Amino acid sequence: MPVRKDRDILPAPHAQTPAEVLKVLRTDPELGLSSNEVEERRQKYGPNKLPDPPKKSKLLQLLEQFVNPLVLTLLAAAIVAVVVGFSSSEGSVLSRFGDAIAILLIVILNALLGYFQEQRAEAALDALQKMTAPTARVKRDGQVSVIPAAELVPGDILELDTGDAIPADSRLVQSITLAAEEAMLTGESTASGKDAHAIVDNVAPIGDRETMVFMGTTIVRGKGRAVVVATGVHTELGRIGEMINKAVDEKTPLEQRLDSFGKKILWACLAISVALFAWGMFRHERHWSELLLEAVSLAVAAIPEGLPAITTITLALGMQRMAKLGAIVRKLPAVETLGAASVICTDKTGTLTQNEMTVRVVWAAGQQFSVLGQGYDPKGGFERDGEPIDPGALPSPLQYLLATAALCNNAVLDKDAETGLYKVIGDPTEGALLTLAAKAQVPRESLTPKHRVVGEVPFDSDRKRMTVITLDTRGRQIAHVKGSVDVLLPRCVKYADLDGVRVLTDADRDLIISTAEKMSRQALRVLALARRISPEGDPEEKLTFLGLVGMIDPPRVGVKEAIATCNVAGIRAVMITGDHKLTAVAISEELGLWAEGDEAMTGAELQDLSQDDLLKRLMHIRVFARTTAEQKLRIVKAYKSIGHVVAMTGDGVNDAPALREAHIGIAMGRGGTDVARQASDLVLADDNFATIVEAIREGRAIYRNIQKFIFFLLSSNAGLCVAVFVLAFKGWPPLTPLMILWINLVTNGLPALALGIDPADPNQMKEAPRSSGSGLLGAREAYGIPFVGIVMGVMAVLLYVFTPDGTKEQMVIARNLAFSVLAISPLMHAFSCRSSIHSFLSQRPFISLPLIGAVLISASIHLVAVLVPALQPVFKTHWMSLDEWSRVLLFSAVIIPAMELIKLVQRMFGTRAAPSRPAAQTDTAE
């Protein structure tokens, strides 16, 4: 079916009049489209649904696990071992092909482990599809019917009512007190008022398009009629889906470093192996199959086969620890990446704040009252001048105000039976007023028996006020009115004072206006409340002014402390929000996010800014306000372009593309959307920003532990390389590939894992993030690896040198002893690897029980290979005497004083490790 691909079916419909839009779309608001026209447009524009995301087959996902330099080298080594096995006619099949079988088993095990760990589902677009409305009320052929939302086409006429989910982007034709909840697209915590006849700028951001309603949002108040202007991928939701689909899944810093590291090891071991093979062929002393097996042995010795598996297991254990903290990791490398974050781009609504409008201040009868409590939970109270006030002792004007707040209201507070949490059904602002009244023990349920609603004048964006008329038990009609101060105050003639109702004076008006302005400067949304008893004529005239309420979407508990910790740790936190600049700056100041010299920028200002100018100002901007999904994506890319490791937090659909683009996306688990969660790497189960700090702490500890076990594995492998190279050069009996694999994976694997769970350094959160360009290992490790390799390798070779006579049998015995030295020496070396500079005697805690247990188990496993008669032919080992074991232990223990010596030298001469990134607060983009 041919489907139109261009996006702008109707350019900027929000800036055109309803008549202009209807004319372009050739539709009648009273009749709708005809059945024939609907079918033609469906053929032209396609179904109103989001496309299924492309998915890799499971077979392809499994095969991708083998596309790795180290794994491919091992496969090549296995092929060579098979060829050598066929060329030899001596021994059993197991002894001839044991090396090849062992290598293949390791490769398959690594591939399966990676496959089962890499189950990060590409389900962001699936979640977007779930958010689309399943049905729509549409007018066609003059009749209103309910149809599947997927059947909508541009030009369809929608009938909208409170509670409806919007099935497609539509231009309003009629609106009656209409408002929509659009936080998932705009980030605004309050409902957006809608007006079919508003004048909207051509380039207005989504949050300011009063004439439009968008797919996936919800009508929270009023009624309306709209014409569909965009369906499926052409909608704002579809545009975000395309951005999610186009975003490249970049490798994390750890993955990049491991890949680079693996390639360097690969080329080095191949070069040495080829040189060794060529040297042997040049000397013409042995058969080519023996020389090839030695070359394979050297390659296997150089490659840290256990590194991928041990890294994966270490990250998985870290993932479990993070889950206990409330941070659910969806992609394993994200465990470590968070520890490298130097910039956190955080959404405001639902991330730093609760996404629950809360009344903070009430002003009545010239007195200001602070309101305690958070969100829609009716627990709380009132204070005046820091002193708590009993609800029964509240002054009469405030009690009148609370009654009006509860009665002039169409929202409902709903308590979840399972979680015990409160949510609002309806307008968030009205939910905040209901909660305010409930905190004073005046819930609406206690008022409605005495105040029967007999009339209502609903709110709309032109009137900016709402009135509910009730009949009390004394037979009086009372008009309860709420609205903006500039609209309501001119309609008031009386003033509720502590001494009763009196005439409203000019001085009273000036005081009310100045108080409202003061509250607005604190980023509070200010509403005025008034009433009139026994109204005649217009119930909204000759009102009695009751007071003001100031509300805000408040910060989450613990966020301020978390931001302070980020500052100490050298991590720059930046707010990116769809809300207004004034509100965003006020929240950032309250949280301690705002510092001297910081700037705030709106999305419109960002739109006009060139990329070069953005990069110059980037490190001075603390708040980005009124931003769109594309702009959030641009900001994340800008930080990445100047070398920062970027974490992005968010909970809405509009955050999803940036979450996907960031090095690590962090979504809210409780209050976030499915789209944000599926696009993220890490989900905060408790929606607590403070959990990020603990996750960063864990991430930094994990990275250091990865450095520890990489140094352990590489330095131990270096010992194998030295021994294999020297033995091959001298023509002495070499270690077999199976022996080397046994040492690399079986005996060295458990100590490496134990190093991966070493306790964290308590001072690591006082250090700046490591540089994104720094390598896996620092200067100390770069010197230490060859040093350890030489010591271990020389100790193994000396066992050949000190052989009583040079017979072949004695050399085979020497190989057996060297095998044990190269297996046990790393177990003793593991204790020195807990710190790159401090003595193992000064470690805190001094005893690492996991490491001691790992060493004992590994030593026991090695004894099995040496002592079990059935395995001796496989490993080419033999029973060793007490004298031989004494030599093995003596030569193995040499590494301990050797490491202590090099650490002492490093402490004396101050060999520096790889540098960390400068503190984020002092960074510049230049």
Side-chain angles (χ1 to χ4, degrees):
M1 180 175 66
V3 178
R4 180 170 173 164
K5 298 296 184 182
D6 60 301
R7 173 165 306 287
D8 294 323
I9 297 173
L10 179 63
H14 56 276
Q16 302 184 40
T17 66
E20 291 171 336
V21 174
L22 292 169
K23 181 179 179 180
V24 172
L25 292 173
R26 305 191 312 277
T27 188
D28 188 322
E30 300 300 329
L31 298 176
L33 297 173
S34 66
S35 299
N36 291 336
E37 184 69 14
V38 168
E39 186 58 34
E40 289 180 11
R41 297 190 184 195
R42 184 177 296 121
Q43 293 292 325
K44 183 177 183 180
Y45 298 113
N48 179 36
K49 64 178 184 178
L50 301 176
D52 295 328
K55 294 182 179 180
K56 296 178 182 177
S57 68
K58 292 186 177 181
L59 177 60
L60 181 59
Q61 291 177 2
L62 180 60
L63 292 177
E64 284 181 345
Q65 306 303 316
F66 295 94
V67 185
N68 177 289
L70 297 182
V71 172
L72 291 175
T73 304
L74 286 175
L75 285 174
I79 293 172
V80 171
V82 170
V83 172
V84 172
F86 277 115
S87 67
S88 174
S89 58
E90 299 179 2
S92 64
V93 173
L94 183 60
S95 64
R96 289 163 53 199
F97 296 101
D99 295 333
I101 294 171
I103 295 173
L104 288 173
L105 285 176
I106 295 305
V107 169
I108 294 171
L109 177 64
N110 273 335
L112 291 175
L113 186 60
Y115 172 75
F116 287 115
Q117 291 292 352
E118 197 181 272
Q119 292 301 304
R120 183 189 182 194
E122 293 294 333
L125 293 180
D126 291 342
L128 281 170
Q129 283 190 309
K130 293 177 184 177
M131 296 182 62
T132 57
T135 59
R137 286 187 298 123
V138 61
K139 181 172 284 190
R140 290 177 177 173
D141 295 319
Q143 301 293 322
V144 176
S145 58
V146 178
I147 66 170
E151 297 181 6
L152 286 175
V153 296
D156 266 326
I157 302 298
L158 299 177
E159 298 292 337
L160 305 175
D161 204 345
T162 301
D164 286 352
I166 305 300
D169 287 4
S170 307
R171 173 58 164 90
L172 290 170
V173 178
Q174 298 175 7
S175 59
I176 304 174
T177 67
L178 197 68
E181 204 285 310
E182 298 177 338
M184 50 163 271
L185 280 177
T186 66
E188 290 194 55
S189 52
T190 57
S192 301
K194 298 296 179 179
D195 184 354
H197 302 287
I199 299 175
V200 180
D201 188 78
N202 207 40
V203 293
I206 294 175
D208 294 336
R209 297 179 190 176
E210 298 177 58
T211 58
M212 294 285 297
V213 287
F214 300 99
M215 175 189 274
T217 63
T218 305
I219 301 298
V220 297
R221 181 177 65 242
K223 298 181 178 182
R225 179 178 291 175
V227 56
V228 175
V229 297
T231 57
V233 295
H234 305 294
T235 63
E236 292 297 328
L237 203 62
R239 289 173 62 251
I240 293 175
E242 285 187 351
M243 283 190 287
I244 295 173
N245 201 30
K246 290 178 181 177
V248 178
D249 258 340
E250 292 186 0
K251 292 186 176 182
T252 68
L254 177 63
E255 290 174 316
Q256 293 171 0
R257 288 185 177 96
L258 288 175
D259 280 353
S260 174
F261 200 58
K263 290 175 182 177
K264 290 176 182 177
I265 294 175
L266 169 62
W267 288 113
C269 74
L270 286 179
I272 298 173
S273 298
V274 170
L276 187 65
F277 180 76
W279 173 253
M281 293 295 291
F282 175 76
R283 294 174 64 183
H284 299 291
E285 293 181 354
R286 284 176 292 164
H287 191 264
W288 67 267
S289 63
E290 294 183 33
L291 297 174
L292 193 58
L293 190 59
E294 286 180 358
V296 170
S297 298
L298 183 61
V300 172
I303 297 173
E305 292 87 359
L307 182 58
I310 294 171
T311 302
T312 299
I313 295 170
T314 299
L315 292 174
L317 293 174
M319 181 178 71
Q320 294 176 7
R321 293 194 296 273
M322 283 190 177
K324 293 178 181 178
L325 298 173
I328 301 170
V329 178
R330 301 186 62 251
K331 187 179 180 185
L332 277 181
V335 175
E336 172 275 335
T337 308
L338 191 59
S342 56
V343 171
I344 299 179
C345 297
T346 174
D347 183 42
K348 178 184 73 69
T349 305
T351 306
L352 295 176
T353 65
Q354 300 180 23
N355 197 17
E356 296 180 345
M357 291 300 291
T358 303
V359 176
R360 285 275 188 87
V361 177
V362 179
W363 187 87
Q367 297 180 327
Q368 184 164 303
F369 302 86
S370 299
V371 184
L372 307 179
Q374 298 288 340
Y376 299 125
D377 192 328
K379 294 179 182 178
F382 293 78
E383 286 185 352
R384 184 174 59 207
D385 299 328
E387 296 294 328
I389 304 175
D390 186 88
L394 296 175
S396 298
L398 180 53
Q399 292 182 4
Y400 299 150
L401 180 149
L402 295 169
T404 292
L407 292 168
C408 187
N409 204 309
N410 289 323
V412 176
L413 285 181
D414 181 53
K415 183 177 182 180
D416 190 287
E418 294 183 3
T419 64
L421 299 176
Y422 286 84
K423 64 179 180 179
V424 62
I425 300 175
D427 191 294
T429 298
E430 294 192 337
L433 294 175
L434 281 182
T435 305
L436 172 69
K439 289 176 180 177
Q441 299 181 10
V442 190
R444 184 167 56 188
E445 293 75 17
S446 67
L447 297 172
T448 48
K450 302 176 183 178
H451 295 268
R452 182 167 58 89
V453 176
V454 295
E456 177 180 335
V457 184
F459 176 91
D460 67 39
S461 55
D462 289 330
R463 290 168 16 86
K464 295 183 180 180
R465 61 186 182 274
M466 172 185 177
T467 299
V468 169
I469 302 173
T470 63
L471 184 67
D472 68 8
T473 54
R474 295 162 61 182
R476 300 181 304 171
Q477 283 194 351
I478 303 176
H480 302 274
V481 189
K482 71 169 184 281
S484 63
V485 179
D486 60 326
V487 170
L488 214 59
L489 187 57
R491 296 175 175 272
C492 295
V493 297
K494 295 181 180 180
Y495 181 73
D497 207 348
L498 294 174
D499 298 326
V501 177
R502 59 173 175 79
V503 175
L504 182 67
T505 66
D506 290 340
D508 294 328
R509 294 180 189 274
D510 291 341
L511 178 61
I512 292 168
I513 292 172
S514 64
T515 302
E517 289 176 348
K518 180 180 178 182
M519 293 166 68
S520 294
R521 286 194 295 270
Q522 298 171 356
L524 296 173
R525 185 185 182 197
V526 183
L527 284 180
L529 292 102
R531 73 174 188 170
R532 182 181 175 187
I533 299 176
S534 302
E536 297 179 1
D538 188 347
E540 297 178 341
E541 296 289 346
K542 300 179 181 179
L543 298 171
T544 298
F545 185 86
L546 300 177
L548 305 169
V549 296
M551 63 185 70
I552 197 171
D553 180 13
R556 289 184 177 276
V557 176
V559 169
K560 186 173 184 178
E561 294 77 10
I563 289 175
T565 304
C566 286
N567 291 336
V568 173
I571 302 166
R572 183 175 180 84
V574 179
M575 182 190 295
I576 305 178
T577 178
D579 217 335
H580 295 277
K581 182 196 286 189
L582 182 64
T583 304
V585 170
I587 290 292
S588 68
E589 288 176 340
E590 183 174 350
L591 291 172
L593 187 63
W594 190 268
E596 185 177 353
D598 283 341
E599 301 175 14
M601 179 179 289
T602 64
E605 294 168 338
L606 178 61
Q607 189 74 30
D608 296 334
L609 204 63
S610 69
Q611 188 66 11
D612 288 341
D613 290 338
L614 173 61
L615 294 179
K616 290 177 182 177
R617 297 179 57 185
L618 192 59
M619 296 309 295
H620 300 288
I621 302 172
R622 185 68 70 172
V623 171
F624 292 91
R626 305 297 283 169
T627 51
T628 63
E630 296 98 326
Q631 289 167 342
K632 292 183 179 184
L633 190 60
R634 181 187 176 190
I635 294 165
V636 170
K637 288 181 176 179
Y639 278 114
K640 290 173 65 177
S641 71
I642 59 175
H644 283 283
V645 176
V646 183
M648 171 76 190
T649 73
D651 63 347
V653 175
N654 59 327
D655 299 318
L659 288 172
R660 182 80 175 270
E661 177 66 28
H663 288 108
I664 176 166
I666 308 170
M668 303 296 116
R670 183 182 298 168
T673 60
D674 283 343
V675 182
R677 286 193 288 270
Q678 297 295 346
S680 67
D681 302 287
L682 185 145
V683 179
L684 300 182
D686 55 3
D687 285 12
N688 192 344
F689 184 90
T691 304
I692 296 176
V693 177
E694 294 305 315
I696 290 175
R697 191 190 310 275
E698 186 68 35
R700 290 189 176 187
I702 288 170
Y703 187 80
R704 288 195 177 181
N705 288 345
I706 288 174
Q707 288 181 312
K708 293 176 186 178
F709 70 66
I710 286 178
F711 174 71
F712 167 74
L713 290 174
L714 290 185
S715 56
S716 300
N717 277 31
L720 285 170
C721 287
V722 170
V724 170
F725 187 82
V726 172
L727 295 178
F729 188 82
K730 297 292 290 183
W732 294 338
L735 299 177
T736 67
L738 183 57
M739 286 180 173
I740 296 169
L741 282 174
W742 182 263
I743 294 171
N744 277 350
L745 294 168
V746 181
T747 59
N748 290 357
L750 287 178
L753 276 176
L755 289 171
I757 59 173
D758 220 28
D761 183 348
N763 294 319
Q764 65 183 6
M765 288 303 286
K766 296 179 182 179
E767 301 173 3
R770 64 181 181 273
S771 171
S772 58
S774 63
L776 272 172
L777 301 176
R780 296 189 184 105
E781 291 80 7
Y783 296 138
I785 289 172
F787 176 82
V788 172
I790 291 172
V791 172
M792 287 187 181
V794 167
M795 290 301 104
V797 170
L798 286 178
L799 290 167
Y800 286 83
V801 174
F802 295 151
T803 301
D805 53 57
T807 63
K808 184 177 181 180
E809 291 76 11
Q810 289 295 326
M811 285 299 185
V812 170
I813 293 174
R815 178 178 65 183
N816 189 33
L817 300 183
F819 173 44
S820 291
V821 165
L822 292 171
I824 296 175
S825 184
L827 302 184
M828 298 185 178
H829 174 50
F831 293 96
S832 297
C833 294
R834 295 183 64 201
S835 172
S836 62
I837 191 168
H838 297 295
S839 169
F840 81 96
L841 297 173
S842 63
Q843 291 295 304
R844 295 293 181 271
F846 175 68
I847 296 176
S848 171
L849 292 179
L851 185 56
I852 291 176
V855 167
L856 292 176
I857 293 173
S858 295
S860 301
I861 291 174
H862 178 70
L863 290 177
V864 170
V866 176
L867 301 180
V868 174
L871 295 178
Q872 287 176 352
V874 177
F875 286 95
K876 297 180 174 61
T877 59
H878 68 274
W879 185 270
M880 292 195 300
S881 67
L882 184 60
D883 176 65
E884 289 172 330
W885 276 116
S886 299
R887 275 188 284 163
V888 165
L889 294 176
L890 177 63
F891 279 58
S892 299
V894 170
I895 191 61
I896 296 178
M899 277 301 296
E900 290 300 301
L901 177 62
I902 193 173
K903 287 183 180 182
L904 177 62
V905 172
Q906 289 175 341
R907 290 196 297 271
M908 290 174 61
F909 293 97
T911 304
R912 298 185 62 187
S916 295
R917 171 184 298 281
Q921 284 70 20
T922 61
D923 276 354
T924 62
E926 299 175 357

